[in-house]
Short mmCIF file of all heavy atoms in Angstrom, two decimals:
data_model
loop_
_atom_site.label_atom_id
_atom_site.label_comp_id
_atom_site.label_asym_id
_atom_site.label_seq_id
_atom_site.Cartn_x
_atom_site.Cartn_y
_atom_site.Cartn_z
N LEU A 1 -31.59 -122.35 18.19
CA LEU A 1 -31.86 -123.82 18.11
C LEU A 1 -30.54 -124.59 18.36
O LEU A 1 -29.48 -124.12 17.94
CB LEU A 1 -32.40 -124.15 16.71
CG LEU A 1 -33.81 -123.81 16.32
CD1 LEU A 1 -34.15 -124.32 14.93
CD2 LEU A 1 -34.83 -124.28 17.34
N PRO A 2 -30.58 -125.74 19.04
CA PRO A 2 -29.33 -126.36 19.29
C PRO A 2 -28.58 -126.70 17.96
O PRO A 2 -29.16 -127.10 17.03
CB PRO A 2 -29.78 -127.71 19.98
CG PRO A 2 -31.10 -127.33 20.56
CD PRO A 2 -31.73 -126.37 19.63
N LEU A 3 -27.23 -126.46 18.01
CA LEU A 3 -26.45 -126.81 16.80
C LEU A 3 -26.39 -128.31 16.56
O LEU A 3 -25.98 -128.70 15.49
CB LEU A 3 -25.04 -126.19 16.92
CG LEU A 3 -24.91 -124.78 16.56
CD1 LEU A 3 -23.65 -124.20 17.06
CD2 LEU A 3 -24.97 -124.55 15.01
N SER A 4 -26.81 -129.07 17.47
CA SER A 4 -26.99 -130.53 17.18
C SER A 4 -28.13 -130.81 16.32
O SER A 4 -28.29 -131.93 15.83
CB SER A 4 -27.19 -131.24 18.56
OG SER A 4 -28.18 -130.65 19.39
N HIS A 5 -29.05 -129.88 16.17
CA HIS A 5 -30.16 -129.96 15.25
C HIS A 5 -29.65 -129.63 13.90
O HIS A 5 -29.03 -128.61 13.60
CB HIS A 5 -31.21 -128.92 15.73
CG HIS A 5 -32.62 -129.11 15.01
ND1 HIS A 5 -32.80 -129.00 13.73
CD2 HIS A 5 -33.82 -129.38 15.62
CE1 HIS A 5 -34.10 -129.17 13.45
NE2 HIS A 5 -34.75 -129.46 14.57
N THR A 6 -29.94 -130.50 12.90
CA THR A 6 -29.44 -130.37 11.55
C THR A 6 -29.84 -129.05 10.84
O THR A 6 -29.04 -128.50 10.11
CB THR A 6 -29.83 -131.55 10.62
OG1 THR A 6 -29.93 -132.74 11.40
CG2 THR A 6 -28.86 -131.76 9.56
N LEU A 7 -31.06 -128.61 11.15
CA LEU A 7 -31.50 -127.35 10.49
C LEU A 7 -30.67 -126.19 10.92
O LEU A 7 -30.28 -125.37 10.15
CB LEU A 7 -33.00 -127.11 10.89
CG LEU A 7 -33.60 -125.80 10.32
CD1 LEU A 7 -33.51 -125.78 8.80
CD2 LEU A 7 -35.04 -125.69 10.79
N GLU A 8 -30.40 -126.12 12.26
CA GLU A 8 -29.55 -125.05 12.71
C GLU A 8 -28.11 -125.12 12.26
O GLU A 8 -27.50 -124.10 11.89
CB GLU A 8 -29.61 -124.99 14.28
CG GLU A 8 -28.78 -123.87 14.86
CD GLU A 8 -29.28 -122.49 14.58
OE1 GLU A 8 -30.52 -122.31 14.37
OE2 GLU A 8 -28.50 -121.56 14.45
N ARG A 9 -27.64 -126.35 12.18
CA ARG A 9 -26.21 -126.53 11.79
C ARG A 9 -26.11 -126.16 10.30
O ARG A 9 -25.07 -125.38 10.00
CB ARG A 9 -25.83 -127.89 12.04
CG ARG A 9 -24.34 -128.15 11.88
CD ARG A 9 -23.98 -129.45 12.48
NE ARG A 9 -22.60 -129.94 12.08
CZ ARG A 9 -22.11 -131.12 12.23
NH1 ARG A 9 -22.94 -132.05 12.70
NH2 ARG A 9 -20.92 -131.43 11.99
N THR A 10 -26.91 -126.65 9.47
CA THR A 10 -26.74 -126.32 8.04
C THR A 10 -27.15 -124.90 7.72
O THR A 10 -26.38 -124.07 7.06
CB THR A 10 -27.65 -127.25 7.17
OG1 THR A 10 -27.15 -128.61 7.35
CG2 THR A 10 -27.58 -126.94 5.70
N ALA A 11 -28.33 -124.39 8.22
CA ALA A 11 -28.85 -123.13 7.76
C ALA A 11 -28.41 -122.02 8.69
O ALA A 11 -28.41 -120.83 8.27
CB ALA A 11 -30.44 -123.13 7.77
N GLY A 12 -27.96 -122.30 9.94
CA GLY A 12 -27.62 -121.28 10.83
C GLY A 12 -26.19 -121.21 11.16
O GLY A 12 -25.69 -120.38 12.00
N TYR A 13 -25.35 -122.12 10.52
CA TYR A 13 -23.93 -122.12 10.79
C TYR A 13 -23.14 -122.18 9.53
O TYR A 13 -22.36 -121.24 9.12
CB TYR A 13 -23.59 -123.38 11.69
CG TYR A 13 -22.16 -123.90 11.75
CD1 TYR A 13 -21.05 -123.03 11.38
CD2 TYR A 13 -21.90 -125.11 12.26
CE1 TYR A 13 -19.78 -123.56 11.47
CE2 TYR A 13 -20.58 -125.59 12.36
CZ TYR A 13 -19.53 -124.86 11.93
OH TYR A 13 -18.26 -125.29 12.02
N TYR A 14 -23.35 -123.21 8.62
CA TYR A 14 -22.57 -123.31 7.39
C TYR A 14 -23.08 -122.39 6.37
O TYR A 14 -22.27 -121.74 5.64
CB TYR A 14 -22.63 -124.77 6.84
CG TYR A 14 -22.05 -125.74 7.81
CD1 TYR A 14 -22.71 -126.88 8.21
CD2 TYR A 14 -20.67 -125.66 8.25
CE1 TYR A 14 -22.17 -127.87 9.00
CE2 TYR A 14 -20.11 -126.52 9.11
CZ TYR A 14 -20.87 -127.67 9.47
OH TYR A 14 -20.29 -128.61 10.34
N LEU A 15 -24.42 -122.15 6.29
CA LEU A 15 -24.93 -121.26 5.29
C LEU A 15 -24.50 -119.81 5.50
O LEU A 15 -24.09 -119.12 4.49
CB LEU A 15 -26.52 -121.30 5.27
CG LEU A 15 -27.25 -120.61 4.18
CD1 LEU A 15 -28.49 -121.25 3.84
CD2 LEU A 15 -27.60 -119.18 4.67
N PRO A 16 -24.52 -119.21 6.71
CA PRO A 16 -23.95 -117.87 6.89
C PRO A 16 -22.51 -117.79 6.58
O PRO A 16 -22.01 -116.71 6.19
CB PRO A 16 -24.25 -117.59 8.38
CG PRO A 16 -25.35 -118.55 8.80
CD PRO A 16 -25.19 -119.74 7.92
N MET A 17 -21.77 -118.85 6.72
CA MET A 17 -20.35 -118.92 6.38
C MET A 17 -20.19 -118.77 4.86
O MET A 17 -19.31 -118.14 4.37
CB MET A 17 -19.70 -120.17 6.87
CG MET A 17 -18.18 -120.12 6.87
SD MET A 17 -17.43 -121.65 7.60
CE MET A 17 -17.68 -121.38 9.38
N MET A 18 -21.16 -119.36 4.13
CA MET A 18 -21.07 -119.29 2.66
C MET A 18 -21.34 -117.79 2.25
O MET A 18 -20.81 -117.35 1.18
CB MET A 18 -22.24 -120.14 2.07
CG MET A 18 -21.84 -121.57 1.92
SD MET A 18 -23.15 -122.45 0.91
CE MET A 18 -22.23 -123.91 0.44
N THR A 19 -22.25 -117.13 2.99
CA THR A 19 -22.64 -115.79 2.60
C THR A 19 -21.76 -114.64 3.27
O THR A 19 -21.93 -113.50 2.89
CB THR A 19 -24.04 -115.53 2.85
OG1 THR A 19 -24.33 -115.67 4.31
CG2 THR A 19 -24.94 -116.54 2.21
N GLY A 20 -20.99 -115.02 4.25
CA GLY A 20 -20.23 -114.00 4.96
C GLY A 20 -21.05 -113.21 6.01
O GLY A 20 -20.70 -112.11 6.38
N SER A 21 -22.23 -113.80 6.35
CA SER A 21 -23.11 -113.21 7.35
C SER A 21 -22.60 -113.36 8.78
O SER A 21 -21.86 -114.33 8.98
CB SER A 21 -24.49 -113.69 7.19
OG SER A 21 -24.93 -113.58 5.81
N LYS A 22 -23.04 -112.54 9.64
CA LYS A 22 -22.70 -112.68 11.12
C LYS A 22 -23.74 -113.69 11.79
O LYS A 22 -24.87 -113.72 11.40
CB LYS A 22 -22.75 -111.30 11.78
CG LYS A 22 -21.82 -110.35 11.23
CD LYS A 22 -21.76 -109.03 12.09
CE LYS A 22 -23.12 -108.27 11.99
NZ LYS A 22 -23.35 -107.74 10.60
N VAL A 23 -23.22 -114.37 12.78
CA VAL A 23 -24.06 -115.25 13.61
C VAL A 23 -23.87 -114.79 15.11
O VAL A 23 -22.73 -114.83 15.59
CB VAL A 23 -23.65 -116.68 13.41
CG1 VAL A 23 -24.51 -117.54 14.45
CG2 VAL A 23 -23.98 -117.18 12.00
N ALA A 24 -25.00 -114.39 15.71
CA ALA A 24 -24.96 -114.18 17.19
C ALA A 24 -25.52 -115.32 17.88
O ALA A 24 -26.56 -115.87 17.52
CB ALA A 24 -25.78 -112.91 17.46
N PHE A 25 -24.88 -115.78 18.96
CA PHE A 25 -25.27 -116.91 19.76
C PHE A 25 -26.14 -116.38 20.88
O PHE A 25 -25.64 -115.66 21.85
CB PHE A 25 -24.10 -117.71 20.24
CG PHE A 25 -23.25 -118.34 19.15
CD1 PHE A 25 -22.00 -117.82 18.84
CD2 PHE A 25 -23.79 -119.35 18.45
CE1 PHE A 25 -21.24 -118.42 17.76
CE2 PHE A 25 -23.02 -119.93 17.38
CZ PHE A 25 -21.76 -119.44 17.11
N SER A 26 -27.34 -116.85 21.00
CA SER A 26 -28.22 -116.46 22.08
C SER A 26 -27.73 -117.12 23.41
O SER A 26 -27.13 -118.10 23.41
CB SER A 26 -29.64 -116.92 21.79
OG SER A 26 -30.47 -116.73 22.93
N ARG A 27 -28.02 -116.34 24.47
CA ARG A 27 -27.64 -116.83 25.79
C ARG A 27 -28.44 -118.08 26.25
O ARG A 27 -28.09 -118.80 27.10
CB ARG A 27 -27.78 -115.70 26.79
CG ARG A 27 -26.68 -114.60 26.64
CD ARG A 27 -26.99 -113.46 27.60
NE ARG A 27 -28.19 -112.68 27.10
CZ ARG A 27 -28.66 -111.67 27.78
NH1 ARG A 27 -28.13 -111.24 28.93
NH2 ARG A 27 -29.69 -111.00 27.27
N GLY A 28 -29.58 -118.24 25.58
CA GLY A 28 -30.47 -119.40 25.91
C GLY A 28 -31.97 -118.98 25.80
O GLY A 28 -32.25 -117.79 25.62
N ILE A 29 -32.85 -119.90 25.83
CA ILE A 29 -34.26 -119.69 25.71
C ILE A 29 -34.79 -118.64 26.77
O ILE A 29 -35.57 -117.83 26.40
CB ILE A 29 -35.08 -120.94 25.75
CG1 ILE A 29 -34.69 -121.82 24.50
CG2 ILE A 29 -36.55 -120.68 25.63
CD1 ILE A 29 -35.00 -121.23 23.14
N PRO A 30 -34.37 -118.79 28.02
CA PRO A 30 -34.87 -117.76 29.00
C PRO A 30 -34.54 -116.35 28.65
O PRO A 30 -35.33 -115.46 29.01
CB PRO A 30 -34.22 -118.24 30.31
CG PRO A 30 -33.93 -119.71 30.14
CD PRO A 30 -33.58 -119.83 28.65
N GLN A 31 -33.42 -116.13 27.99
CA GLN A 31 -33.02 -114.77 27.63
C GLN A 31 -33.24 -114.46 26.20
O GLN A 31 -32.86 -113.38 25.67
CB GLN A 31 -31.49 -114.61 27.88
CG GLN A 31 -31.05 -114.74 29.25
CD GLN A 31 -30.74 -116.24 29.66
OE1 GLN A 31 -30.64 -117.06 28.80
NE2 GLN A 31 -30.46 -116.48 30.96
N LEU A 32 -34.01 -115.32 25.47
CA LEU A 32 -34.14 -115.15 24.04
C LEU A 32 -34.87 -113.85 23.68
O LEU A 32 -34.40 -113.12 22.72
CB LEU A 32 -34.96 -116.36 23.51
CG LEU A 32 -35.24 -116.23 21.95
CD1 LEU A 32 -33.84 -116.25 21.19
CD2 LEU A 32 -36.01 -117.53 21.49
N ALA A 33 -35.93 -113.49 24.39
CA ALA A 33 -36.65 -112.16 24.06
C ALA A 33 -35.72 -111.07 24.21
O ALA A 33 -35.71 -110.14 23.34
CB ALA A 33 -37.89 -112.16 24.98
N ASN A 34 -34.92 -110.95 25.29
CA ASN A 34 -34.03 -109.82 25.46
C ASN A 34 -32.88 -109.85 24.43
O ASN A 34 -32.46 -108.79 23.92
CB ASN A 34 -33.40 -110.00 26.83
CG ASN A 34 -34.34 -109.60 27.99
OD1 ASN A 34 -35.23 -108.86 27.76
ND2 ASN A 34 -34.13 -110.08 29.19
N ASP A 35 -32.37 -111.08 24.05
CA ASP A 35 -31.34 -111.07 23.02
C ASP A 35 -31.82 -110.59 21.67
O ASP A 35 -31.12 -109.89 21.00
CB ASP A 35 -30.91 -112.60 22.89
CG ASP A 35 -30.12 -113.12 24.08
OD1 ASP A 35 -29.80 -112.29 24.94
OD2 ASP A 35 -29.81 -114.30 24.15
N ILE A 36 -33.11 -110.89 21.37
CA ILE A 36 -33.71 -110.39 20.09
C ILE A 36 -33.80 -108.93 20.08
O ILE A 36 -33.47 -108.28 19.11
CB ILE A 36 -35.01 -111.12 19.89
CG1 ILE A 36 -34.91 -112.55 19.53
CG2 ILE A 36 -35.78 -110.33 18.77
CD1 ILE A 36 -36.25 -113.30 19.41
N GLN A 37 -34.16 -108.34 21.24
CA GLN A 37 -34.32 -106.93 21.33
C GLN A 37 -32.97 -106.20 21.24
O GLN A 37 -32.79 -105.15 20.65
CB GLN A 37 -34.95 -106.55 22.73
CG GLN A 37 -36.42 -107.05 22.85
CD GLN A 37 -37.37 -106.44 21.87
OE1 GLN A 37 -37.31 -105.22 21.65
NE2 GLN A 37 -38.19 -107.24 21.29
N GLN A 38 -31.92 -106.80 21.91
CA GLN A 38 -30.61 -106.14 21.88
C GLN A 38 -29.85 -106.35 20.50
O GLN A 38 -29.20 -105.35 20.05
CB GLN A 38 -29.74 -106.78 23.00
CG GLN A 38 -30.26 -106.54 24.45
CD GLN A 38 -29.35 -107.09 25.48
OE1 GLN A 38 -28.19 -107.27 25.33
NE2 GLN A 38 -29.91 -107.51 26.61
N LEU A 39 -30.02 -107.48 19.90
CA LEU A 39 -29.19 -107.83 18.79
C LEU A 39 -29.87 -107.43 17.42
O LEU A 39 -29.22 -107.25 16.45
CB LEU A 39 -28.81 -109.35 18.75
CG LEU A 39 -27.94 -109.78 19.90
CD1 LEU A 39 -27.93 -111.25 20.06
CD2 LEU A 39 -26.51 -109.24 19.77
N GLN A 40 -31.23 -107.43 17.51
CA GLN A 40 -32.03 -107.08 16.27
C GLN A 40 -31.58 -107.85 15.02
O GLN A 40 -31.10 -107.34 14.04
CB GLN A 40 -31.84 -105.58 16.00
CG GLN A 40 -32.40 -104.69 17.12
CD GLN A 40 -32.25 -103.25 16.88
OE1 GLN A 40 -31.30 -102.73 16.28
NE2 GLN A 40 -33.34 -102.46 17.21
N PRO A 41 -31.83 -109.18 15.02
CA PRO A 41 -31.40 -110.03 13.94
C PRO A 41 -32.22 -109.70 12.70
O PRO A 41 -33.30 -109.22 12.78
CB PRO A 41 -31.71 -111.44 14.45
CG PRO A 41 -32.79 -111.29 15.42
CD PRO A 41 -32.49 -109.95 16.10
N SER A 42 -31.62 -110.00 11.59
CA SER A 42 -32.29 -109.76 10.26
C SER A 42 -32.68 -111.15 9.67
O SER A 42 -33.53 -111.28 8.70
CB SER A 42 -31.50 -108.98 9.27
OG SER A 42 -30.20 -109.70 9.04
N ALA A 43 -32.11 -112.28 10.21
CA ALA A 43 -32.51 -113.61 9.71
C ALA A 43 -32.58 -114.49 10.95
O ALA A 43 -31.84 -114.40 11.90
CB ALA A 43 -31.42 -114.11 8.82
N LEU A 44 -33.67 -115.36 10.90
CA LEU A 44 -33.95 -116.26 12.04
C LEU A 44 -34.29 -117.63 11.50
O LEU A 44 -35.13 -117.85 10.62
CB LEU A 44 -35.16 -115.64 12.81
CG LEU A 44 -35.39 -115.96 14.26
CD1 LEU A 44 -34.15 -115.51 15.12
CD2 LEU A 44 -36.66 -115.26 14.76
N ILE A 45 -33.76 -118.67 12.18
CA ILE A 45 -34.12 -120.06 11.94
C ILE A 45 -34.78 -120.55 13.17
O ILE A 45 -34.14 -120.49 14.27
CB ILE A 45 -32.87 -120.90 11.62
CG1 ILE A 45 -31.99 -120.34 10.51
CG2 ILE A 45 -33.34 -122.29 11.21
CD1 ILE A 45 -32.63 -120.16 9.20
N ALA A 46 -36.00 -121.01 13.08
CA ALA A 46 -36.75 -121.37 14.29
C ALA A 46 -37.65 -122.55 14.02
O ALA A 46 -37.89 -122.94 12.85
CB ALA A 46 -37.53 -120.21 14.86
#
């Protein structure tokens, strides 16, 4: 989700910094399905 979106910025950027979690940046919506398969996320904001 664009980091200009408040939900992504708070819950997908600052919140993982609070918890020490990793954040992987998707290449974009066209590659999203492949990125999910390759990276295997455990948390998703959508």
Side-chain angles (χ1 to χ4, degrees):
L1 285 184
L3 277 164
S4 48
H5 193 298
T6 327
L7 177 60
E8 180 64 31
R9 190 167 169 194
T10 296
Y13 163 19
Y14 298 126
L15 185 149
M17 195 176 286
M18 277 187 162
T19 60
S21 308
K22 300 185 293 294
V23 175
F25 297 106
S26 172
R27 289 171 288 176
I29 295 299
Q31 297 89 8
L32 181 58
N34 288 334
D35 290 350
I36 289 175
Q37 296 296 316
Q38 292 180 33
L39 296 166
Q40 300 181 317
S42 58
L44 203 62
I45 309 295

